[in-house]
């Protein structure tokens, strides 16, 4: 393989890693390691499936369908695909994920160093930098992949290597078995929101691949796949390392422990007095790279959706302004209103990804895919209703009985009770439609 091709693959792969690796992804793994203790490796296995493999499948699903998410949406229905794409881009864009990056930067990256820093000023500065770096979409992959990501990897790599060579403590038996550790890692992986982001990022990555001259289907597939493999290896190293640091932190009980507190404790004890500064820089870089990618994706999507009536720059500016306003509310409020909404969108997107990757080249008709999507949507809506009303339900109420029934469905403990029913519907419709 030519040196230029290797360089392009590494640049695009690093950019994809940075897009996926937001600040929330830094905060999640250490607490998993603390809770699972000796079984931290089982937790890493579960986390890998939902936080690394599933997003990578999202990239492949779009690649197998075309060049962007709307091509993937056409596997079900053009109109429904556009509606789903709009819901996804809003959830990972100006309504939830983008303002959360700025709020996290303020609460975790700035407050530990400057306790009296103003959140409004922080939000303005954050989105001023984001706007400056995302206003030109053709350069965003190179900016992230060549400059920001290597710095982020170096900082996190130093902390992980130091923590592995000189562990603070040894992993202890926390009473959590291997199966439960795997389940916890599997469930926590959903919190990264990377499956939603993957189908949107895919368009950016595929466009970057084509811009570098890989336009034939074979070359485009090969470079995109290898770039995804680079991102996967980087994510596995970082996630696995952070889970291990949590398992060997010797912090004690995880009860009532904030995720940020554990991360600050680890960084300060592994890196010494400069740990807080190093962690703050990591948080800022992780949030910034994610925000740039999401703003770029939002601008591209709505510009294409309106066929240029809304220019890319107009959407980008509006997204930054709107996100800056929401970011001032803080991380907790953003998560509170986002939870129920994501509980509906996430399963639908994951269903579409799984069935297109596994069956896309075999099943050409739309009806089986539509059936699987509808089944998942029904389950998601029912679970949403149960979540919102179960607190006031009595044991003889319909809501309580519905909740008990769903708990009996296989894979409920892994937060995918819709998977088996949607598969049954997919197979039945495929066989019926074929005849």
């Amino acid at each position: 393989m030519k040196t230029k091709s290797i360089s392009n693959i590494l640049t695009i792969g690093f950019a994809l890693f940075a897009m996926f690796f937001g600040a929330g992804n830094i905060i999640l793994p250490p607490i998993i390691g603390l809770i699972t203790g000796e079984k931290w490796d089982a937790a890493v296995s579960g986390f890998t499936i939902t936080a690394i493999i599933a997003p990578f499948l999202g990239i492949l699903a779009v690649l197998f369908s075309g060049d962007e998410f709307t091509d993937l949406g056409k596997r079900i229905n053009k109109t429904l695909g556009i509606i789903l794409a709009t819901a996804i881009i809003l959830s990972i864009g100006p309504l939830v994920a983008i303002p959360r990056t700025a709020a996290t930067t303020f609460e975790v990256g700035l407050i530990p160093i400057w306790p009296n820093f103003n959140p409004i000023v922080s939000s303005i500065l954050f989105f001023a930098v984001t706007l400056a770096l995302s206003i030109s979409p053709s350069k965003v992959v190179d900016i992230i992949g060549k400059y920001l990501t290597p710095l982020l990897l170096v900082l996190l790599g130093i902390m992980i290597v130091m923590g592995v060579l000189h562990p603070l403590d040894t992993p202890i038996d926390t009473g959590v078995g291997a199966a439960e550790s795997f389940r916890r890692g599997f469930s926590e992986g959903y919190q990264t929101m990377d499956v939603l982001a993957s189908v949107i990022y895919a368009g950016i990555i595929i466009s970057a691949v084509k811009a570098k001259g890989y336009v034939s289907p074979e070359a485009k597939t090969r470079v995109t796949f290898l770039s995804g493999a680079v991102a996967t290896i980087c994510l596995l190293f970082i996630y696995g390392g952070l889970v291990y640091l949590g398992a060997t932190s010797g912090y004690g009980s995880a009860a009532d422990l904030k995720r940020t507190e554990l991360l600050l404790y680890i960084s300060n004890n592994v890196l010494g007095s400069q740990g807080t500064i190093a962690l703050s820089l990591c948080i800022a870089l992780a949030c910034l790279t994610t925000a740039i990618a999401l703003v770029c994706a939002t601008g591209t999507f709505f510009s294409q959706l309106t066929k240029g009536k809304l220019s890319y720059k107009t959407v980008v500016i509006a997204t930054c302004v709107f996100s800056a306003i929401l970011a001032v509310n803080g991380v907790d409020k953003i998560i509170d209103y986002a939870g129920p909404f994501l509980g509906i969108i996430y399963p639908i997107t994951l269903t579409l990804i799984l069935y297109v990757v596994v069956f896309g080249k075999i099943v050409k008709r739309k009806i089986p895919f539509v059936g699987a999507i509808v089944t998942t949507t029904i389950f998601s809506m029912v679970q949403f209703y149960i979540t919102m009303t179960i607190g006031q339900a009595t044991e003889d109420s319909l809501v309580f009985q519905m909740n008990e029934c769903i708990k009996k469905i296989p894979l409920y403990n892994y937060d995918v009770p819709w998977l088996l029913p949607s598969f049954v519907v997919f197979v039945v419709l495929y066989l019926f439609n074929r005849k």
Side-chain angles (χ1 to χ4, degrees):
M1 188 180 294
K2 296 181 180 180
T3 303
K4 184 178 180 180
S5 295
I6 295 176
S7 176
N8 289 334
I9 289 170
L10 290 176
T11 297
I12 297 171
F14 284 159
L16 183 58
F17 160 78
M19 291 176 182
F20 282 142
F21 195 74
N25 305 43
I26 299 178
I27 297 171
L28 287 170
I31 195 75
I32 298 174
L34 180 64
I35 293 172
T36 56
E38 287 182 340
K39 306 300 181 182
W40 66 272
D41 51 344
V44 171
S45 299
F47 195 81
T48 298
I49 293 176
T50 49
I52 301 178
I53 296 177
F56 184 45
L57 292 180
I59 301 291
L60 294 182
V62 175
L63 180 65
F64 293 164
S65 303
D67 292 338
E68 55 192 36
F69 179 77
T70 52
D71 296 322
L72 176 60
K74 291 176 184 176
R75 297 304 300 265
I76 46 175
N77 177 277
K78 183 177 180 180
T79 302
L80 291 178
I82 291 174
I83 293 173
L84 179 58
T86 303
I88 292 173
I89 201 69
L90 289 175
S91 64
I92 66 168
L95 290 182
V96 183
I98 296 177
R100 193 177 70 176
T101 58
T104 303
T105 300
F106 172 71
E107 295 180 16
V108 184
L110 296 180
I111 289 298
I113 301 176
W114 297 290
N116 297 320
F117 204 89
N118 188 291
I120 298 177
V121 174
S122 171
S123 184
I124 292 173
L125 291 175
F126 182 89
F127 283 105
V129 175
T130 301
L131 177 61
L133 295 178
S134 59
I135 201 69
S136 179
S138 62
K139 298 179 180 179
V140 67
V141 170
D142 284 340
I143 291 172
I144 294 176
K146 288 184 178 180
Y147 306 109
L148 298 182
T149 306
L151 180 57
L152 174 61
L153 277 172
V154 168
L155 290 172
L156 286 173
I158 290 174
M159 185 171 73
I160 289 172
V161 171
M162 292 292 291
V164 171
L165 294 178
H166 307 285
L168 302 176
D169 206 334
T170 56
I172 62 173
D173 184 1
T174 60
V176 181
E180 174 61 21
S181 296
F182 178 88
R183 189 202 67 79
R184 179 172 288 275
F186 189 94
S187 300
E188 287 287 337
Y190 290 130
Q191 302 301 321
T192 64
M193 293 175 58
D194 284 344
V195 167
L196 293 180
S198 67
V199 293
I200 303 300
Y201 289 159
I204 300 176
I205 295 301
I206 294 172
S207 295
V209 170
K210 292 169 66 177
K212 292 184 180 297
Y214 306 99
V215 292
S216 68
E218 296 79 10
K220 183 178 68 173
T221 299
R222 177 177 59 85
V223 174
T224 302
F225 186 88
L226 291 175
S227 299
V230 170
T232 297
I233 293 170
C234 293
L235 287 170
L236 183 59
F237 168 72
I238 298 297
Y239 286 149
L242 290 174
V243 171
Y244 179 77
L245 293 187
T248 58
S249 65
Y251 192 89
S253 174
D256 300 323
L257 173 65
K258 291 184 178 181
R259 302 173 189 273
T260 54
E261 291 178 358
L262 177 61
L263 194 58
L264 285 168
Y265 173 84
I266 292 172
S267 64
N268 289 335
N269 283 275
V270 170
L271 300 176
S273 59
Q274 303 301 315
T276 300
I277 297 176
L279 179 62
S280 296
L281 188 55
C282 285
I283 293 289
L285 283 173
C287 287
L288 184 62
T289 53
T290 300
I292 292 169
L294 292 175
V295 169
C296 179
T298 303
T300 301
F301 175 80
F302 283 109
S303 177
Q304 293 176 347
L305 183 65
T306 60
K307 297 181 179 180
K309 292 180 180 179
L310 289 176
S311 69
Y312 172 83
K313 291 185 178 180
T314 299
V315 178
V316 165
I317 294 172
T319 299
C320 288
V321 172
F322 187 79
S323 299
I325 295 171
L326 287 183
V328 180
N329 292 323
V331 174
D332 290 339
K333 288 186 178 180
I334 294 172
I335 292 175
D336 287 342
Y337 74 71
F341 181 69
L342 295 176
I344 297 174
I345 301 299
Y346 209 103
I348 296 172
T349 307
L350 187 54
T351 298
L352 180 59
I353 290 172
L354 289 176
Y355 286 97
V356 168
V357 170
V358 177
F359 302 110
K361 293 185 177 181
I362 303 173
V363 181
K364 301 300 182 181
R365 297 182 180 272
K366 294 181 179 180
I367 290 179
F369 294 98
V370 173
I373 293 294
V374 170
T375 303
T376 301
T377 302
I378 293 172
F379 268 83
S380 299
M381 295 295 290
V382 169
Q383 284 195 287
F384 169 76
Y385 175 72
I386 291 173
T387 301
M388 300 302 292
T389 58
I390 193 67
Q392 294 78 35
T394 59
E395 291 189 7
D396 58 346
S397 66
L398 177 62
V399 173
F400 185 85
Q401 298 301 323
M402 290 168 60
N403 191 41
E404 291 301 309
C405 289
I406 289 181
K407 285 183 178 179
K408 296 177 182 179
I409 298 176
L411 302 178
Y412 170 83
N413 289 334
Y414 295 93
D415 294 333
V416 287
W418 46 265
L419 185 57
L420 184 59
S422 69
F423 177 71
V424 172
V425 171
F426 183 90
V427 172
V428 170
L429 288 177
Y430 169 69
L431 294 175
F432 177 80
N433 191 243
R434 185 178 63 173
K435 292 181 181 179

